[in-house]
Amino acid sequence: MELDTNDVLENRPRRRGRPRTRGVTTQMNVRVDQDLKVRGDEVLRATGTNPTDVISRLWGYVVRTGSVPDFLTAQEIEEQQNERERLVAAMQEVRGMPWRALEDEAVLQGNGYRPVSLDEVRKMSERGQAVRAREVAQV
Amino acid sequence: MSVQTKKTALVDKDVWLALCLDLGEQAAEAYRFLDGALGVIDLLVTTTCLQEVWSDLCHVLRHVVVQEGGVVDDRVEALITSIAWDCISFVREVSIVVSSGARDATLADVLRDQHADYSDALLVATAQGCSASCIVSFKESLHECLPVRCLTPYEASIAFNL
């Protein structure tokens, strides 16, 4: 005998203990850093949305796709951290790099005079331009 | 309609110079700001600023070489320019390059009464043109400027909660 699936579904007994939830809302309480909340709320206001809308959409996305957005996955977070660490390392490397490079090539001695402020740099830049101008004139 | 929400800061050349040349306290201040800002806010830099960083670095390094009794021959000149290129590569890597257009030049002209220095006026005009949240600079002459506010790296660190 063939089963008519529609018939089966129509006549199936309703499960007890599982209330109908569609259309019914519930409240969620989450704990977040206070400063983070203030700053986040500011951004949401600026974009014309609010925490309820954002949370509803996030839950909708999770249910619809069966996954979490990329920015919430451990891999994405790890990639962002790695990228930040790489840039910080580059920043540490470039700090004072010109002096190290000239010393490595024995163009400068390690104990020579180095500028310590932007005012000195401005004056040096002007004098450096003069040095360059003299060299060009000699050529 | 799109609303720009990510904070952006147009970083002036002196912040990059302070870091690259490791200029004492100013380097430390620039480092703290950039360290906090990386990945949190968008750092902007103008093409004009990149050019100025490059040429200032070259001029300063030439001056120091001569000061120490050295000669800026072809080898040293090549080394100096290579160093300046590396610094520019770093700045480009951590920031977004924006260019000043014709509208910025026009606005800069309007701002001439507020800024005696044309490069200051152009920087402010470009910051406004690209909707930067602020300019980050050590230059005191910029700090009174309008319509875009200008902060030192220390002030920017506080303003952005970095």
Side-chain angles (χ1 to χ4, degrees):
Chain A
M1 192 180 84
E2 263 187 41
L3 275 177
D4 183 340
T5 25
N6 284 336
D7 223 29
V8 171
L9 287 173
E10 193 66 29
N11 295 320
R12 68 182 172 178
R14 292 206 179 278
R15 269 191 260 170
R16 289 184 182 181
R18 186 180 177 192
R20 284 171 167 270
T21 52
R22 184 166 285 186
V24 178
T25 59
T26 188
Q27 190 163 341
M28 295 170 66
N29 290 311
V30 291
R31 190 160 281 281
V32 293
D33 178 83
Q34 190 175 16
D35 180 53
L36 183 67
K37 183 181 182 307
V38 170
R39 292 163 67 188
D41 286 350
E42 190 182 317
V43 174
L44 295 184
R45 264 197 303 279
T47 52
T49 186
N50 56 59
T52 301
D53 190 34
V54 170
I55 294 294
S56 297
R57 283 166 184 268
L58 177 61
W59 254 244
Y61 178 93
V62 169
V63 169
R64 197 169 61 251
T65 63
S67 64
V68 293
D70 287 346
F71 75 93
L72 290 179
T73 63
Q75 187 186 351
E76 181 72 15
I77 292 168
E78 191 181 333
E79 279 173 11
Q80 284 177 2
Q81 282 172 345
N82 289 344
E83 175 64 5
R84 192 189 129 70
E85 281 169 17
R86 190 182 68 79
L87 294 177
V88 170
M91 186 167 67
Q92 289 166 346
E93 176 67 23
V94 85
R95 185 175 177 177
M97 177 274 286
W99 309 121
R100 290 193 300 276
L102 288 172
E103 286 160 13
D104 289 347
E105 293 293 324
V107 176
L108 295 179
Q109 306 302 315
N111 55 359
Y113 175 75
R114 304 286 178 268
V116 291
S117 73
L118 283 161
D119 282 340
E120 285 180 79
V121 164
R122 283 184 200 114
K123 286 173 191 161
M124 283 185 166
S125 178
E126 286 161 14
R127 288 174 195 153
Q129 287 179 51
V131 169
R132 184 74 179 142
R134 271 201 305 276
E135 285 170 1
V136 171
Q138 283 170 2
V139 171
Chain B
M1 186 186 79
S2 70
V3 179
Q4 188 179 352
T5 54
K6 192 158 187 185
K7 303 286 186 196
T8 55
L10 187 65
V11 184
D12 195 13
K13 70 165 182 176
D14 52 10
V15 177
W16 304 114
L17 283 172
L19 180 76
C20 294
L21 293 172
D22 198 12
L23 301 175
E25 288 180 13
Q26 287 167 323
E29 191 176 331
Y31 183 92
R32 274 194 297 273
F33 163 69
L34 294 170
D35 185 31
L38 286 177
V40 178
I41 61 173
D42 283 341
L43 302 172
L44 309 178
V45 62
T46 67
T47 46
T48 315
C49 168
L50 287 175
Q51 186 263 320
E52 289 176 350
V53 169
W54 192 87
S55 59
D56 277 1
L57 278 170
C58 289
H59 293 319
V60 168
L61 297 180
R62 275 189 210 111
H63 174 77
V64 172
V65 169
V66 172
Q67 191 83 351
E68 285 199 16
V71 177
V72 185
D73 55 17
D74 288 347
R75 183 184 78 90
V76 173
E77 182 65 26
L79 181 60
I80 287 173
T81 52
S82 169
I83 290 167
W85 273 108
D86 288 345
C87 291
I88 294 300
S89 296
F90 161 76
V91 176
R92 286 185 56 237
E93 195 169 10
V94 297
S95 56
I96 299 166
V97 180
V98 293
S99 55
S100 306
R103 288 180 63 181
D104 301 322
T106 306
L107 179 57
D109 208 29
V110 173
L111 296 171
R112 65 186 294 173
D113 290 338
Q114 294 178 46
H115 301 281
D117 187 329
Y118 178 71
S119 62
D120 286 358
L122 187 60
L123 185 73
V124 174
T126 307
Q128 192 179 25
C130 64
S131 303
S133 308
C134 70
I135 295 169
V136 179
S137 176
F138 284 108
K139 207 170 179 181
E140 287 175 11
S141 61
L142 276 170
H143 285 205
E144 301 297 319
C145 77
L146 288 171
V148 182
R149 66 178 178 160
C150 181
L151 307 170
T152 64
Y154 173 72
E155 290 167 339
S157 299
I158 294 170
F160 287 116
N161 286 321
L162 301 176

